[in-house]
Amino acid sequence: ARDKALYQQPVSRLSVDELTHPDLITMAKVHQDPIVHADSFFRKIIERRRKKQLGAVPEKYLGIGKERDQEFAGILGIRMPGLHYTGSLADIPKELKADTLLKPTNSSDSRGAYYLFHERNIYSVQHSHTLRSWDEMIASIVSSLGEDAITTPNWQIQELVYEDDVHPARDIKFHTFYGQIGLILEARRHPTWQYAFFDERGTPADAGREHFPRFKDPAETVVDKGGLTNEQLDYARWLSQQIPAPYMRMDFLHTKDGLVFLEFSSAPGGSHTWSDEWDRRFGRYYLEAEMRLTDDLLSGKDYPGWREFMRLQTSPRKEPKEPDGVPRRDAIPDPRLRGPRRILTTLRRGLIPH
């Protein structure tokens, strides 16, 4: 026992790249110790990125553009904010510049997202400050995304979803590992940025990330107040198993009427900033998720929603056209209307909450 302790102490401080094959034999066979050195979420993110370079992965089309995320959610029949417009900034109708949300389809971390309360009350979600004119917002967009963003057709106007009569709904982000919720992030973006992390049981968690001010009191959060029901947690777990991939972050808005889907992320920004404890914990969750996924694939599990989504991504698409034959950039059909009814029947079975 003393020799084992003397061996374990220095080896425990080695990284996985510093281990030798004799170390693996000693740890796994002789001492029968868990090889926790391999439990690293960021390492798995790097590996997954490398696999994407080598070939296609199941989540290839998710988390890279909001339109595709919305299309997949539409196939599954998931509730989403109303989509009013897709196109360029210059062509946004005046009536859509009030009580709506403006955001680019291909950005992340709230870059380029604005609450359009009305034309003289525009709130930058990224910078947490109010702008008093459309021109001020354009200048803010150029500062954040560059001048090219002004002319791109990749902008959406969505329904502005509220949590009450005054405040835009909070974000609830589930870090899921194929049937397991690893961590929950709650974020309030207005009138100021505040956030809190919780584990699957709703217990406050210190995950080591301090990008924005925390809630001063966890009791101010929806999660701590018990605002997430067991039914909603089960729904998040179910949704994560409709994609044959070990990890997916799924972002929702929390409203008094339930969860409203926003987007997916298969490799969230800042994945290197988790504390050592949470990087190891996520790394183990990831490995366990890979094993559950392998078991499901070997047992012949079908993924009808994902298969239909992939079929649409690889099929030629016909763009709506004006009478003169020019493609219309603002005539994107609501993705919630896509997908055959049989997919919804197969997936829902009357059991999935909304």
Side-chain angles (χ1 to χ4, degrees):
R2 181 173 178 273
D3 290 343
K4 179 179 179 180
L6 288 173
Y7 176 81
Q8 286 176 324
Q9 187 174 5
V11 169
S12 66
R13 293 194 290 267
L14 298 178
S15 71
V16 67
D17 296 315
E18 295 172 317
L19 293 175
T20 65
H21 194 264
D23 289 327
L24 296 181
I25 299 298
T26 301
M27 295 169 68
K29 292 188 175 181
V30 179
H31 295 160
Q32 297 184 344
D33 290 331
I35 308 173
V36 296
H37 306 68
D39 298 349
S40 169
F41 179 64
F42 188 52
R43 176 175 288 272
K44 300 304 293 186
I45 291 294
I46 294 173
E47 289 179 3
R48 201 72 176 181
R49 181 69 68 178
R50 178 58 177 145
K51 287 180 179 179
K52 291 178 181 179
Q53 293 178 330
L54 297 173
V57 294
E59 71 275 22
K60 174 181 179 180
Y61 295 108
L62 293 176
I64 58 174
K66 295 175 179 59
E67 289 176 313
R68 281 172 165 163
D69 292 354
Q70 291 160 355
E71 184 170 51
F72 182 57
I75 291 171
L76 298 182
I78 298 172
R79 180 185 172 198
M80 292 178 284
L83 176 60
H84 301 316
Y85 170 87
T86 298
S88 66
L89 290 172
D91 295 329
I92 295 175
K94 184 178 180 61
E95 63 269 20
L96 295 182
K97 295 181 181 180
D99 207 30
T100 52
L101 171 66
L102 171 69
K103 61 195 308 185
T105 62
N106 54 358
S107 186
S108 59
D109 297 327
S110 302
R111 294 171 65 238
Y114 297 87
Y115 296 144
L116 307 181
F117 296 116
H118 57 74
E119 284 196 77
R120 295 193 176 277
N121 184 5
I122 301 171
Y123 183 79
S124 169
V125 179
Q126 178 185 4
H127 300 295
S128 301
H129 66 251
T130 298
L131 307 168
R132 295 303 181 187
S133 72
W134 193 261
D135 288 342
E136 280 190 37
M137 187 196 72
I138 295 296
S140 175
I141 290 173
V142 171
S143 176
S144 297
L145 302 176
E147 292 187 3
D148 289 344
I150 302 302
T151 56
T152 177
N154 301 322
W155 289 91
Q156 286 187 348
I157 292 285
Q158 294 181 1
E159 167 194 6
L160 182 51
V161 179
Y162 288 87
E163 67 176 0
D164 52 31
D165 295 332
V166 178
H167 300 104
R170 304 180 185 200
D171 286 12
I172 301 291
K173 300 174 184 276
F174 297 99
H175 291 268
T176 62
F177 296 83
Y178 195 70
Q180 179 182 2
I181 298 172
L183 194 68
I184 302 169
L185 167 64
E186 176 175 337
R188 181 172 66 190
R189 302 174 182 271
H190 182 271
T192 59
W193 249 103
Q194 288 183 295
Y195 78 99
F197 288 110
F198 301 88
D199 65 18
E200 192 172 24
R201 299 182 300 276
T203 304
D206 184 3
R209 306 182 78 173
E210 298 290 347
H211 301 312
F212 300 100
R214 289 177 177 267
F215 283 95
K216 293 180 180 178
D217 183 357
E220 298 177 18
T221 63
V222 167
V223 176
D224 194 71
K225 293 176 182 176
L228 282 181
T229 66
N230 288 331
E231 191 178 39
Q232 289 169 336
L233 294 172
D234 285 342
Y235 184 47
R237 297 183 186 102
W238 171 87
L239 179 56
S240 73
Q241 291 177 304
Q242 305 314 303
I243 308 165
Y247 170 81
M248 187 65 65
R249 196 190 74 196
M250 306 182 303
D251 298 357
F252 292 83
L253 295 173
H254 185 274
T255 76
K256 60 184 179 181
D257 298 320
L259 297 176
V260 178
F261 175 77
L262 284 179
E263 61 189 9
F264 295 107
S265 179
S266 61
S271 294
H272 64 292
T273 62
W274 299 106
S275 68
D276 290 344
E277 175 191 353
W278 278 94
D279 182 63
R280 287 193 297 271
R281 186 179 299 194
F282 273 10
R284 177 169 178 170
Y285 293 164
Y286 198 109
L287 292 170
E288 292 170 342
E290 286 181 318
M291 296 171 69
R292 289 192 297 272
L293 174 58
T294 299
D295 288 343
D296 279 354
L297 292 172
L298 291 177
S299 64
K301 178 180 175 178
D302 191 15
Y303 300 85
W306 174 80
R307 284 193 297 102
E308 173 63 12
F309 172 71
M310 292 299 292
R311 184 190 69 78
L312 292 173
Q313 306 317 302
T314 55
S315 300
R317 294 176 182 254
K318 294 182 179 180
E319 294 184 276
K321 297 180 182 296
E322 298 284 7
D324 60 2
V326 178
R328 287 172 52 194
R329 294 186 298 187
D330 62 342
I332 306 300
D334 189 326
R336 293 174 299 175
L337 303 180
R338 294 175 180 163
R341 181 69 59 182
R342 63 181 176 79
I343 295 292
L344 300 183
T345 303
T346 303
L347 291 167
R348 280 180 173 170
R349 302 173 187 170
L351 300 175
I352 304 305
H354 289 272

